[in-house]
Amino acid sequence: MDLSKFDVKKFWEENDFCWFNFDKKTRIPIHFWLDDHFLFELVGPFSTVDYYSDKSYRLQIHKKANDILEEELGRRFYSEEELDPPEPTRFEVVMGSKVVISEGGTPWLEQAIESLDEVKSFIEKMEKIDVKKVVTPELLKAKEDYENLTGKKLRWGHMTRGPATIATSLLGTTNLCTLLMDEPELMDEFFEILKEKLVEYIKNLRGYCEVEYNGIAINDDNCFLFSPKLYERYCAPILESLFKNFAPRKEDTRYQHSDSNMQHLIPILNELGVNSVNFGPEIHPATIRKLMPHALIYGQMPPFVLRNGSAEEIIEYVKRDMQVLKEDGNFIETPAGSVASGTPLENIKIYMWAVQEFGRI
């Protein structure tokens, strides 16, 4: 392996071709994103409060990071658009959670209740919330201005967090686990209202967007907290409703991400028709393929191997993924989660090189 001869610009040119012409790809494409945690390690320390509240400050940070990333990896990963796309208030906040921003961290959702004594009254409040009020005249004006200035059409409601993760944000993780065991009928009521409000919320958002949707993406890291029995009772009906309303056609995408070890739920997700997945690093790609024979798999590089592993270890994991999944081609090499903060750029470049070397079709 001689990275000095690795042309990252040509790598991304071929990768883009393979991504956008998947049926004609010359190799398995790679897909990864660099989130805020990675950014803080790359060019920090800096004020995270200022980063999230000051647009000009955020652009300075992004430009500094992108200059480094373009030099080392051949691509600019962070937005440098002068105008941010307006976003509706997220569903969890509409339902009662609070966004907390503090120095040194990314935005965090604070649970809507403090004690179990509040659950019944909280459910009553949920039922009365009018999610249609999320789209205000001011938000619509901002949307119109953004689309006119950029020429881009917004796509609200194409992605949502899943029912398990939303429930932990609203009730708190410990409260939720206690309630699932001690108050099953109360949780039936909670998840039924959650289903109705979430579907109504997404329908409302999509109704204002002049774009064609081709399915829905669900991020549900905390689904691992549910046993198969509990998941079928509380969460599966919500996924069924989401797919019925927003991904009813065979060709529609039904994407599920969960970077936890939720292997015990994969058969249920397959039965629900999930057809595109990114699962946790503890799950072997052969297991995913066996349990989901027709799904498009994004995976299965463990983030901590990518961060802490040797070149040989990173390459061996890529070779493993290719040996298991390359033959059917319904596969995109991706971290099983995200790129962990502190991952050396050299390791990411080795990852890219290995995909180019061993992903040929």
Side-chain angles (χ1 to χ4, degrees), residues 92-357:
E92 297 92 329
V93 175
V94 174
M95 303 310 290
S97 289
K98 299 177 181 64
V99 177
V100 177
I101 300 175
S102 57
E103 283 294 357
T106 56
W108 185 256
L109 280 175
E110 190 176 84
Q111 64 196 56
I113 66 166
E114 292 298 326
S115 71
L116 297 177
D117 295 335
E118 302 173 56
V119 175
K120 289 184 180 180
S121 61
F122 175 67
I123 291 174
E124 292 173 359
K125 290 179 183 176
M126 285 177 60
E127 197 166 15
K128 296 175 182 177
I129 292 172
D130 184 359
V131 296
K132 292 182 179 178
K133 292 184 178 179
V134 170
V135 182
T136 63
E138 292 79 13
L139 180 62
L140 286 178
K141 179 63 166 59
K143 174 182 178 293
E144 180 182 355
D145 291 344
Y146 175 85
E147 292 181 338
N148 288 337
L149 287 169
T150 65
K152 299 177 181 179
K153 293 291 185 181
L154 293 179
R155 188 179 294 272
W156 292 338
H158 70 284
M159 180 180 293
T160 180
R161 292 167 93 212
T165 307
I166 293 174
T168 58
S169 292
L170 294 177
L171 302 177
T173 303
T174 301
N175 287 340
L176 173 64
C177 292
T178 301
L179 290 161
L180 290 172
M181 296 297 101
D182 294 348
E183 299 281 356
E185 290 79 15
L186 189 61
M187 287 297 92
D188 284 334
E189 186 179 350
F190 170 81
F191 280 98
E192 180 63 28
I193 294 170
L194 178 60
K195 178 180 69 175
E196 293 174 3
K197 294 297 181 181
L198 183 58
V199 169
E200 185 181 1
Y201 171 85
I202 296 172
K203 277 185 177 180
N204 184 44
L205 295 187
R206 290 192 177 196
Y208 290 99
C209 296
E210 300 170 348
V211 294
E212 183 178 349
Y213 291 86
N214 62 344
I216 190 166
I218 299 168
N219 297 324
D220 207 7
D221 290 335
N222 293 350
C223 66
F224 79 101
L225 293 169
F226 288 68
S227 68
K229 183 178 180 180
L230 290 174
Y231 192 85
E232 287 185 314
R233 177 169 179 170
Y234 297 113
C235 297
I238 296 180
L239 265 66
E240 284 180 329
S241 185
L242 290 172
F243 295 153
K244 177 182 177 182
N245 283 280
F246 308 117
R249 302 172 300 179
K250 183 178 180 181
E251 64 271 22
D252 286 337
T253 295
R254 297 178 172 188
Y255 173 86
Q256 170 94 352
H257 160 80
S258 175
D259 54 17
S260 58
N261 190 349
M262 32 60 69
Q263 180 176 323
H264 58 292
L265 303 177
I266 294 179
I268 300 173
L269 296 175
N270 189 58
E271 282 294 317
L272 288 167
V274 172
N275 56 22
S276 182
V277 299
N278 176 239
F279 290 150
E282 297 92 346
I283 308 173
H284 197 283
T287 300
I288 302 174
R289 178 54 76 222
K290 179 180 179 181
L291 296 175
M292 306 190 87
H294 305 298
L296 172 62
I297 297 175
Y298 290 79
Q300 200 56 8
M301 170 60 68
F304 291 138
V305 171
L306 185 59
R307 187 183 72 181
N308 304 326
S310 65
E312 291 75 17
E313 289 172 319
I314 294 168
I315 291 168
E316 282 304 308
Y317 269 90
V318 171
K319 290 169 70 175
R320 178 205 67 172
D321 291 349
M322 296 299 170
Q323 288 166 359
V324 173
L325 299 172
K326 186 172 72 170
E327 184 176 354
D328 65 41
N330 203 20
F331 162 55
I332 295 170
E333 178 61 51
T334 310
S338 59
V339 178
S341 61
T343 300
L345 298 182
E346 180 84 355
N347 287 15
I348 298 176
K349 189 181 288 188
I350 292 168
Y351 185 33
M352 294 162 55
W353 176 89
V355 171
Q356 177 170 277
E357 186 73 12

